[in-house]
Amino acid sequence: MAAADWGGKADHLAGERATAQFDVDGMKVAWAGSRHAVEVADRMACLVASDPVFRKDTRTMLSRKELFKDTLKKAAHAWKRTVELHLTEEEANLLRLYIDQPGYVDLHWVMFVPAIKGQGTEEQQKKWLTMAYKFQIIGTYAQTELGHGSNVQGLETTATFDPSTDEFIMHSPTLTSSKWWPGGLGKTSTHAVVYARLITEGKDYGIHGFIMQLRSLDDHSPLPGITIGDIGGKFGSGAYNSMDNGVMRLDHVRIPRDQMLMRLAQVTREGKYVHSDVPKQLLYGTMVYVRQTIVADASRALSRAVCIAVRYGAIRKQFGSKAGGPETQVLNYKTQQSRLFPFLASAYAFRFVGQWLKWLYTDVTQKLESKDFSTLPEAHACTAGLKSVTTSATADAIEECQKLCGGHGYLNSSGLPELFAVNLPACTYEGDNVVLLLQVARFLMKTVSQVASGKQPVGTTAYMGNIQHLMQCKSVVNTVEDWLNPAAIKEVFEARALRMAVNCAQNISKAPSQEEGFSELSPDLVEAAVAHVQLIIVTKFIEKLQEDILGHGVKEQLQKLCGIYALHLIHKHLGDFLSTGCVTARQGSLANERLGKLYAQVRPNAVALVDAFDYTDHYLGSALGRYDGDVYSALYKEAWKDPLNETVVPDGYQEHLRPLLKQQLKLSRL
Ligand SMILES: CCC/C=C/C(=O)SCCNC(=O)CCNC(=O)[C@H](O)C(C)(C)COP(=O)([O-])OP(=O)([O-])OC[C@H]1O[C@@H](n2cnc3c(N)ncnc32)[C@H](O)[C@@H]1OP(=O)([O-])[O-]
Ligand SMILES: Cc1cc2nc3c(=O)[nH]c(=O)nc-3n(C[C@H](O)[C@H](O)[C@H](O)COP(=O)(O)OP(=O)(O)OC[C@H]3O[C@@H](n4cnc5c(N)ncnc54)[C@H](O)[C@@H]3O)c2cc1C
């Protein structure tokens, strides 16, 4: 029977939508940031969904080669449409996002171009960006090596200045110095910003960025002295395998001196090294920029998983039928709600903190342009910390959403396995999450010591200045309703973060040296960093609620979600809150009681709350998460697309199945 025989055009989720107590359009605006953002996103999502070239429903069934070629095709088509339709930068970025297939263009726009913008002189920008903006060259960001990724200062590739020819000699001295991982490097990029140790006048000046041409612009073959290829298949079907992450070895490749990115430091014609009067950490500027964008990616990925699990949970029924009556929607089970609704709340929380982080980044960039570097450490700590906490939580949540969808969640057609596989590496790329949390911890330890010497901290650590109160305060919560008070919530998060940081600082001071103490206490420091970052997320959610939020019932729903986000963290990390004396066991159980009530209040709004993400069925790419809820027809239809179903009798029957069956049959007749 054909799937269409079962599926109609009916909205199987209409009943769910009818119970919503708020204006979904208003929530779309709150989620997207503005009415304009909703409108542009809608237009670009529809453009992608209606174009057959951007089809992705059979992507997980393609071989690696087919998938790669499909990615090249999509990228070229996207560029063609961008030019034909004169898309703005905002529109073109959204177009790329909704195509939803990692590829070389991501590295080109998100890392190569920003690296040149941030580290190139005006002259270099003019030369290289002009070509990059027109796709006359394709660039990547080649930093990580086979032997070192996290420890950037440990990279081994060398760039030795030769004054006799006014060139740098780029070289990979060891196997472990091979560049390894850069996206688009394997098969596509014609150019790269390559990070290497600058050596001039016999002295090693550490890591700097250099623009290198890698492949011929005529026939795409690697230039002499460059060995280059793909590093091999990665986790999951489809997923990140569309990206040609690459390996590259350099054998004394010469490039002109003016291809060193010279905004932060220069090498003169004579070979003198000159450093500008800017902090050398600006070399890491591209990573700060990208980490900030990854927070927005995390909220998007999480919201997609939640959208799938909520809609499916409203359709899927198990148990509970009495005398032939309907079974229970699995979304009505309290266990399902307590697992799923914190993710729904987290998706909104990450979205809002991502919007704030974008503002922070813009603000810091403007300050840097006027040579004010004072907010750089805070920008580094916030981007590193938020990137870590949001990507780890998102990867865990997508995996859990797969379980929340039962067996069908494990099918590629649910969209969840691919979503997990694509987002899991975000915990590692742009800085391993633990390594980055240790950077946050280092910033916190510095701030604690500044507070001890009487300095008033600012920005996201301003709360630490309230040390007298926060070190000894007791939560005012006495009833379940008291946990509705944002000030009470914020205070316990502040007290927990500060007390954990101060405990670490005190314990470090007992160690023989600061370094030994930091290393010994690093697991505690990571937890203190997480507490600080969670405080930022909670605070930014609370601040969002103080804005003008339009639309009937929208603010009320967001207040509930904010409560769920904060209280589920108290429940999950109760050990921290108890051991630091920020809440009592009774207050902890009141928080849990409040949480249960909030779940019940969110339940009738759950489907509408995921509708507000405004995702097309194309972008969601899930038989379980379809807008119309026609899950079973979709699953049935998707199954028949599998290459195994191309023939009724499978390939291999004649060689392997038939002889086996025949032989066994013969034996049984003996
Ligand atoms: C889209 C997908 C594609 C993926 C692409 C990639 O993955 S690309 C590859 C992505 N790869 C990675 O992400 C690699 C991850 N690794 C790293 O980023 C660095 O190696 C490190 C930060 C771990 C250590 O850095 P280090 O060896 O220099 O040692 P240190 O700890 O002693 O720090 C010295 C000082 O610098 C400060 N500072 C540090 N970073 C920043 C910053 N961004 N901004 C501002 N400041 C920063 C730090 O606070 C400290 O300040 P203080 O206290 O002296 O005032
Ligand atoms: C899909 C993907 C795409 C990528 N794209 C690019 C790209 O385009 N360009 C590019 O240059 N790179 C890219 N990378 C590389 C990426 O940036 C690195 O993998 C990342 O920075 C982590 O470094 P590593 O692999 O060396 O991990 P390692 O540092 O070797 O980590 C291994 C383990 O050691 C732990 N560890 C390491 N140092 C410490 C420490 N000081 N204290 C405590 N624990 C520690 C980590 O937590 C981790 O558990 C990509 C990686 C992936 C997976």
Side-chain angles (χ1 to χ4, degrees):
M1 193 186 294
D5 297 340
W6 290 312
K9 285 261 176 255
D11 181 354
H12 297 248
L13 290 168
E16 289 288 335
R17 295 190 168 110
T19 60
Q21 296 153 318
F22 69 97
D23 168 22
V24 178
D25 275 342
M27 189 64 87
K28 282 183 185 171
V29 174
W31 170 265
S34 67
R35 171 72 54 200
H36 164 83
V38 175
E39 186 272 317
V40 187
D42 269 353
R43 222 161 10 87
M44 290 304 112
C46 291
L47 192 66
V48 173
S50 60
D51 192 326
V53 176
F54 298 133
R55 239 187 101 170
K56 57 177 185 170
D57 54 331
T58 52
R59 185 165 62 189
T60 55
M61 298 160 201
L62 301 179
S63 70
R64 177 93 201 279
K65 273 185 158 181
E66 289 166 336
L67 178 64
F68 178 65
K69 202 167 167 191
D70 179 65
T71 312
L72 295 185
K73 180 169 126 186
K74 283 178 175 156
H77 188 62
W79 181 246
K80 185 168 161 264
R81 297 301 283 146
T82 302
V83 174
E84 281 169 357
L85 299 171
H86 305 288
L87 297 186
T88 61
E89 193 180 332
E90 181 191 23
E91 290 169 332
N93 288 342
L94 283 164
L95 185 80
R96 211 176 65 237
L97 186 146
Y98 288 120
I99 293 169
D100 189 35
Q101 193 151 309
Y104 68 88
V105 284
D106 301 336
L107 267 293
H108 179 82
W109 292 118
V110 180
M111 298 213 71
F112 180 68
V113 166
I116 297 173
K117 267 191 188 167
Q119 290 154 46
T121 59
E122 270 178 34
E123 207 176 315
Q124 288 176 318
Q125 292 188 35
K126 198 164 163 225
K127 175 174 173 185
W128 297 102
L129 293 182
T130 307
M131 290 188 277
Y133 284 146
K134 293 184 192 150
F135 259 134
Q136 291 165 343
I137 58 174
I138 297 170
T140 185
Y141 184 90
Q143 183 176 292
T144 307
E145 296 173 357
L146 188 54
H148 288 101
S150 296
N151 179 9
V152 177
Q153 295 304 326
L155 298 179
E156 297 175 75
T157 304
T158 50
T160 309
F161 184 62
D162 178 358
S164 69
T165 58
D166 198 22
E167 288 170 322
F168 284 103
I169 306 164
M170 309 294 292
H171 186 57
S172 315
T174 57
L175 172 66
T176 47
S177 69
S178 310
K179 290 293 171 190
W180 191 272
W181 271 119
L185 176 70
K187 293 287 159 191
T188 327
S189 300
T190 62
H191 288 69
V193 170
V194 174
Y195 287 84
R197 316 195 73 79
L198 190 164
I199 297 165
T200 183
E201 298 185 314
K203 191 170 166 204
D204 182 338
Y205 286 92
I207 303 304
H208 290 74
F210 300 83
I211 299 185
M212 284 190 77
Q213 181 171 351
L214 312 177
R215 292 183 163 95
S216 153
L217 291 176
D218 293 324
D219 64 5
H220 209 60
S221 56
L223 296 189
I226 302 182
T227 307
I228 200 164
D230 185 275
I231 58 170
K234 286 149 289 192
F235 181 81
S237 3
Y240 221 85
N241 285 299
S242 53
M243 182 73 92
D244 50 325
N245 293 96
V247 43
M248 177 171 75
R249 297 206 65 179
L250 303 171
D251 183 5
H252 299 94
V253 181
R254 286 176 172 266
I255 58 167
R257 179 172 57 94
D258 68 5
Q259 285 182 212
M260 168 183 167
L261 289 171
M262 294 229 200
R263 183 164 159 213
L264 312 181
Q266 304 88 41
V267 169
T268 66
R269 175 67 190 84
E270 296 71 36
K272 287 261 161 305
Y273 179 80
V274 185
H275 201 283
S276 311
D277 58 345
V278 296
K280 51 180 192 305
Q281 287 88 344
L282 286 182
L283 178 75
Y284 297 154
T286 314
M287 292 187 277
V288 174
Y289 164 72
V290 184
R291 285 171 195 154
Q292 167 255 139
T293 67
I294 290 175
V295 175
D297 295 345
S299 79
R300 207 173 299 110
L302 176 54
S303 58
R304 286 170 74 176
V306 168
C307 183
I308 295 167
V310 165
R311 287 184 182 160
Y312 178 65
I315 295 292
R316 185 68 168 178
K317 297 189 178 95
Q318 295 283 351
F319 299 105
S321 97
K322 295 216 172 65
E327 289 184 291
T328 305
Q329 292 166 286
V330 296
L331 196 55
N332 285 344
Y333 288 113
K334 296 290 174 190
T335 46
Q336 197 82 355
Q337 293 172 14
S338 68
R339 289 160 72 200
L340 184 51
F341 290 168
F343 300 149
L344 176 61
S346 302
Y348 276 93
F350 296 173
R351 178 77 185 184
F352 298 142
V353 84
Q355 288 167 353
W356 168 79
L357 193 62
K358 193 172 170 193
W359 167 85
L360 180 83
Y361 181 79
T362 312
D363 185 58
V364 171
T365 311
Q366 280 162 2
K367 289 192 171 113
L368 293 181
E369 272 158 20
S370 54
K371 296 230 176 266
D372 171 2
F373 305 112
S374 58
T375 49
L376 195 57
E378 154 120 322
H380 169 45
C382 286
T383 47
L386 284 166
K387 181 268 183 191
S388 299
V389 167
T390 58
T391 56
S392 291
T394 295
D396 292 349
I398 300 174
E399 198 184 2
E400 188 66 12
C401 282
Q402 188 181 311
K403 295 174 196 157
L404 280 156
C405 293
H408 300 334
Y410 194 62
L411 281 170
N412 282 337
S413 58
S414 77
L416 290 166
E418 221 189 341
L419 195 61
F420 179 63
V422 167
N423 285 284
L424 183 61
C427 299
T428 305
Y429 62 53
E430 283 311 330
D432 167 85
N433 280 354
V434 168
V435 170
L436 293 187
L437 285 170
L438 288 170
Q439 288 285 310
V440 179
R442 185 179 156 130
F443 171 72
L444 292 178
M445 293 305 99
K446 269 192 167 182
T447 312
V448 170
S449 100
Q450 285 165 354
V451 169
S453 56
K455 200 170 161 205
Q456 183 61 34
V458 292
T460 49
T461 49
Y463 72 96
M464 291 185 159
N466 196 11
I467 190 162
Q468 305 293 1
H469 171 72
L470 291 175
M471 287 305 286
Q472 45 75 35
C473 65
K474 302 246 178 289
S475 170
V476 294
V477 168
N478 197 31
T479 65
V480 176
E481 277 62 44
D482 288 343
W483 277 123
L484 289 174
N485 177 0
I489 289 180
K490 201 165 155 217
E491 185 184 63
V492 297
F493 273 88
E494 286 181 347
R496 166 205 182 212
L498 182 65
R499 291 177 199 188
M500 288 174 79
V502 168
N503 283 349
C504 286
Q506 285 170 345
N507 288 334
I508 289 175
S509 70
K510 292 177 201 151
S513 73
Q514 176 86 2
E515 205 177 319
E516 276 176 79
F518 196 90
S519 160
E520 202 52 43
L521 280 157
S522 51
D524 297 353
L525 284 160
V526 166
E527 286 175 14
V530 168
H532 170 72
V533 176
Q534 288 174 343
L535 164 66
I536 298 177
I537 303 174
V538 168
T539 306
K540 296 303 156 194
F541 207 155
I542 291 173
E543 284 174 13
K544 176 81 190 174
L545 296 173
Q546 284 147 14
E547 287 175 16
D548 234 2
I549 296 174
L550 302 177
H552 164 71
V554 173
K555 189 177 253 190
E556 288 72 11
Q557 291 304 316
L558 290 177
Q559 278 164 341
K560 292 184 173 78
L561 291 172
C562 181
I564 291 180
Y565 182 71
L567 297 181
H568 105 277
L569 287 179
I570 295 178
H571 183 62
K572 185 170 164 191
H573 298 279
L574 195 56
D576 284 358
F577 285 93
L578 288 175
S579 66
T580 49
C582 297
V583 300
T584 61
R586 183 173 166 273
Q587 288 168 329
S589 65
L590 289 176
N592 204 27
E593 211 178 306
R594 177 77 246 157
L595 207 46
K597 289 185 195 300
L598 286 170
Y599 293 152
Q601 290 168 11
V602 160
R603 169 64 190 93
N605 297 289
V607 168
L609 282 168
V610 300
D611 286 349
F613 301 144
D614 207 13
Y615 295 143
T616 59
D617 280 344
H618 174 276
Y619 182 56
L620 265 191
S622 168
L624 304 186
R626 289 168 63 98
Y627 183 85
D628 65 7
D630 197 4
V631 166
Y632 295 117
S633 303
L635 278 173
Y636 190 82
K637 203 165 120 197
E638 290 301 315
W640 294 108
K641 290 182 187 165
D642 196 279
L644 270 188
N645 286 328
E646 277 167 13
T647 55
V648 179
V649 176
D651 276 359
Y653 169 74
Q654 293 297 346
E655 302 100 292
H656 307 298
L657 264 186
R658 194 163 188 272
L660 175 83
L661 292 168
K662 292 282 173 218
Q663 194 187 12
Q664 293 308 313
L665 209 60
K666 243 190 246 162
L667 285 174
S668 70
R669 282 179 190 150
L670 284 179

PDB file of all heavy atoms in Angstrom, residues 434-449:
ATOM      1  N   VAL A 434      36.843  21.401  27.555  1.00  0.00           N
ATOM      2  CA  VAL A 434      37.490  21.423  28.877  1.00  0.00           C
ATOM      3  C   VAL A 434      38.649  22.429  28.869  1.00  0.00           C
ATOM      4  O   VAL A 434      38.823  23.213  29.806  1.00  0.00           O
ATOM      5  CB  VAL A 434      37.954  20.002  29.270  1.00  0.00           C
ATOM      6  CG1 VAL A 434      38.877  20.042  30.473  1.00  0.00           C
ATOM      7  CG2 VAL A 434      36.743  19.127  29.554  1.00  0.00           C
ATOM      8  N   VAL A 435      39.396  22.412  27.784  1.00  0.00           N
ATOM      9  CA  VAL A 435      40.524  23.358  27.664  1.00  0.00           C
ATOM     10  C   VAL A 435      39.993  24.795  27.763  1.00  0.00           C
ATOM     11  O   VAL A 435      40.572  25.644  28.454  1.00  0.00           O
ATOM     12  CB  VAL A 435      41.286  23.118  26.334  1.00  0.00           C
ATOM     13  CG1 VAL A 435      42.289  24.221  26.067  1.00  0.00           C
ATOM     14  CG2 VAL A 435      41.972  21.748  26.363  1.00  0.00           C
ATOM     15  N   LEU A 436      38.866  25.047  27.117  1.00  0.00           N
ATOM     16  CA  LEU A 436      38.302  26.408  27.149  1.00  0.00           C
ATOM     17  C   LEU A 436      37.748  26.753  28.528  1.00  0.00           C
ATOM     18  O   LEU A 436      37.873  27.894  28.989  1.00  0.00           O
ATOM     19  CB  LEU A 436      37.212  26.560  26.081  1.00  0.00           C
ATOM     20  CG  LEU A 436      37.679  26.509  24.625  1.00  0.00           C
ATOM     21  CD1 LEU A 436      36.530  26.851  23.683  1.00  0.00           C
ATOM     22  CD2 LEU A 436      38.847  27.460  24.360  1.00  0.00           C
ATOM     23  N   LEU A 437      37.160  25.778  29.211  1.00  0.00           N
ATOM     24  CA  LEU A 437      36.644  26.068  30.566  1.00  0.00           C
ATOM     25  C   LEU A 437      37.799  26.382  31.515  1.00  0.00           C
ATOM     26  O   LEU A 437      37.665  27.188  32.440  1.00  0.00           O
ATOM     27  CB  LEU A 437      35.803  24.896  31.082  1.00  0.00           C
ATOM     28  CG  LEU A 437      34.405  24.797  30.447  1.00  0.00           C
ATOM     29  CD1 LEU A 437      33.724  23.483  30.812  1.00  0.00           C
ATOM     30  CD2 LEU A 437      33.515  25.970  30.855  1.00  0.00           C
ATOM     31  N   LEU A 438      38.945  25.750  31.274  1.00  0.00           N
ATOM     32  CA  LEU A 438      40.112  26.073  32.110  1.00  0.00           C
ATOM     33  C   LEU A 438      40.585  27.515  31.852  1.00  0.00           C
ATOM     34  O   LEU A 438      41.105  28.170  32.748  1.00  0.00           O
ATOM     35  CB  LEU A 438      41.242  25.061  31.867  1.00  0.00           C
ATOM     36  CG  LEU A 438      40.955  23.667  32.453  1.00  0.00           C
ATOM     37  CD1 LEU A 438      41.982  22.644  31.973  1.00  0.00           C
ATOM     38  CD2 LEU A 438      40.931  23.706  33.988  1.00  0.00           C
ATOM     39  N   GLN A 439      40.369  28.000  30.630  1.00  0.00           N
ATOM     40  CA  GLN A 439      40.670  29.413  30.348  1.00  0.00           C
ATOM     41  C   GLN A 439      39.731  30.317  31.155  1.00  0.00           C
ATOM     42  O   GLN A 439      40.143  31.337  31.702  1.00  0.00           O
ATOM     43  CB  GLN A 439      40.492  29.705  28.856  1.00  0.00           C
ATOM     44  CG  GLN A 439      41.554  29.101  27.966  1.00  0.00           C
ATOM     45  CD  GLN A 439      42.882  29.847  28.046  1.00  0.00           C
ATOM     46  OE1 GLN A 439      42.924  31.055  27.927  1.00  0.00           O
ATOM     47  NE2 GLN A 439      43.965  29.132  28.262  1.00  0.00           N
ATOM     48  N   VAL A 440      38.459  29.924  31.222  1.00  0.00           N
ATOM     49  CA  VAL A 440      37.488  30.702  32.011  1.00  0.00           C
ATOM     50  C   VAL A 440      37.906  30.692  33.478  1.00  0.00           C
ATOM     51  O   VAL A 440      37.895  31.725  34.164  1.00  0.00           O
ATOM     52  CB  VAL A 440      36.057  30.119  31.872  1.00  0.00           C
ATOM     53  CG1 VAL A 440      35.058  30.910  32.704  1.00  0.00           C
ATOM     54  CG2 VAL A 440      35.625  30.086  30.412  1.00  0.00           C
ATOM     55  N   ALA A 441      38.317  29.508  33.951  1.00  0.00           N
ATOM     56  CA  ALA A 441      38.712  29.364  35.362  1.00  0.00           C
ATOM     57  C   ALA A 441      39.908  30.268  35.670  1.00  0.00           C
ATOM     58  O   ALA A 441      39.961  30.910  36.732  1.00  0.00           O
ATOM     59  CB  ALA A 441      39.054  27.904  35.646  1.00  0.00           C
ATOM     60  N   ARG A 442      40.810  30.329  34.724  1.00  0.00           N
ATOM     61  CA  ARG A 442      41.996  31.169  34.922  1.00  0.00           C
ATOM     62  C   ARG A 442      41.576  32.637  35.072  1.00  0.00           C
ATOM     63  O   ARG A 442      42.078  33.370  35.929  1.00  0.00           O
ATOM     64  CB  ARG A 442      42.867  30.966  33.682  1.00  0.00           C
ATOM     65  CG  ARG A 442      44.187  31.628  33.685  1.00  0.00           C
ATOM     66  CD  ARG A 442      44.823  31.244  32.363  1.00  0.00           C
ATOM     67  NE  ARG A 442      45.808  32.206  31.992  1.00  0.00           N
ATOM     68  CZ  ARG A 442      47.037  31.910  31.616  1.00  0.00           C
ATOM     69  NH1 ARG A 442      47.405  30.656  31.561  1.00  0.00           N
ATOM     70  NH2 ARG A 442      47.872  32.845  31.285  1.00  0.00           N
ATOM     71  N   PHE A 443      40.634  33.036  34.255  1.00  0.00           N
ATOM     72  CA  PHE A 443      40.096  34.402  34.311  1.00  0.00           C
ATOM     73  C   PHE A 443      39.401  34.632  35.656  1.00  0.00           C
ATOM     74  O   PHE A 443      39.549  35.688  36.282  1.00  0.00           O
ATOM     75  CB  PHE A 443      39.125  34.562  33.123  1.00  0.00           C
ATOM     76  CG  PHE A 443      38.312  35.818  33.111  1.00  0.00           C
ATOM     77  CD1 PHE A 443      38.903  37.051  32.832  1.00  0.00           C
ATOM     78  CD2 PHE A 443      36.943  35.784  33.344  1.00  0.00           C
ATOM     79  CE1 PHE A 443      38.143  38.217  32.792  1.00  0.00           C
ATOM     80  CE2 PHE A 443      36.177  36.941  33.306  1.00  0.00           C
ATOM     81  CZ  PHE A 443      36.778  38.163  33.032  1.00  0.00           C
ATOM     82  N   LEU A 444      38.673  33.617  36.124  1.00  0.00           N
ATOM     83  CA  LEU A 444      37.972  33.756  37.411  1.00  0.00           C
ATOM     84  C   LEU A 444      38.967  33.872  38.564  1.00  0.00           C
ATOM     85  O   LEU A 444      38.770  34.672  39.492  1.00  0.00           O
ATOM     86  CB  LEU A 444      37.043  32.552  37.655  1.00  0.00           C
ATOM     87  CG  LEU A 444      35.829  32.442  36.728  1.00  0.00           C
ATOM     88  CD1 LEU A 444      35.033  31.184  37.051  1.00  0.00           C
ATOM     89  CD2 LEU A 444      34.938  33.675  36.865  1.00  0.00           C
ATOM     90  N   MET A 445      40.035  33.062  38.507  1.00  0.00           N
ATOM     91  CA  MET A 445      41.027  33.116  39.602  1.00  0.00           C
ATOM     92  C   MET A 445      41.691  34.490  39.653  1.00  0.00           C
ATOM     93  O   MET A 445      41.940  35.034  40.720  1.00  0.00           O
ATOM     94  CB  MET A 445      42.093  32.024  39.421  1.00  0.00           C
ATOM     95  CG  MET A 445      41.571  30.604  39.587  1.00  0.00           C
ATOM     96  SD  MET A 445      40.722  30.313  41.165  1.00  0.00           S
ATOM     97  CE  MET A 445      39.014  30.463  40.714  1.00  0.00           C
ATOM     98  N   LYS A 446      41.944  35.056  38.478  1.00  0.00           N
ATOM     99  CA  LYS A 446      42.530  36.400  38.425  1.00  0.00           C
ATOM    100  C   LYS A 446      41.563  37.410  39.035  1.00  0.00           C
ATOM    101  O   LYS A 446      41.968  38.298  39.792  1.00  0.00           O
ATOM    102  CB  LYS A 446      42.767  36.809  36.968  1.00  0.00           C
ATOM    103  CG  LYS A 446      44.114  36.459  36.441  1.00  0.00           C
ATOM    104  CD  LYS A 446      44.299  37.167  35.123  1.00  0.00           C
ATOM    105  CE  LYS A 446      45.726  37.116  34.678  1.00  0.00           C
ATOM    106  NZ  LYS A 446      45.946  37.816  33.445  1.00  0.00           N
ATOM    107  N   THR A 447      40.276  37.247  38.705  1.00  0.00           N
ATOM    108  CA  THR A 447      39.274  38.202  39.199  1.00  0.00           C
ATOM    109  C   THR A 447      39.151  38.094  40.715  1.00  0.00           C
ATOM    110  O   THR A 447      39.072  39.112  41.413  1.00  0.00           O
ATOM    111  CB  THR A 447      37.909  37.941  38.518  1.00  0.00           C
ATOM    112  OG1 THR A 447      38.123  37.833  37.122  1.00  0.00           O
ATOM    113  CG2 THR A 447      36.929  39.070  38.780  1.00  0.00           C
ATOM    114  N   VAL A 448      39.162  36.853  41.233  1.00  0.00           N
ATOM    115  CA  VAL A 448      39.068  36.691  42.694  1.00  0.00           C
ATOM    116  C   VAL A 448      40.242  37.406  43.358  1.00  0.00           C
ATOM    117  O   VAL A 448      40.071  38.118  44.365  1.00  0.00           O
ATOM    118  CB  VAL A 448      39.050  35.188  43.091  1.00  0.00           C
ATOM    119  CG1 VAL A 448      39.209  35.004  44.595  1.00  0.00           C
ATOM    120  CG2 VAL A 448      37.767  34.519  42.616  1.00  0.00           C
ATOM    121  N   SER A 449      41.426  37.255  42.768  1.00  0.00           N
ATOM    122  CA  SER A 449      42.576  37.887  43.427  1.00  0.00           C
ATOM    123  C   SER A 449      42.509  39.418  43.302  1.00  0.00           C
ATOM    124  O   SER A 449      42.902  40.137  44.212  1.00  0.00           O
ATOM    125  CB  SER A 449      43.894  37.286  42.921  1.00  0.00           C
ATOM    126  OG  SER A 449      44.479  38.090  41.985  1.00  0.00           O
TER     127      SER A 449
END
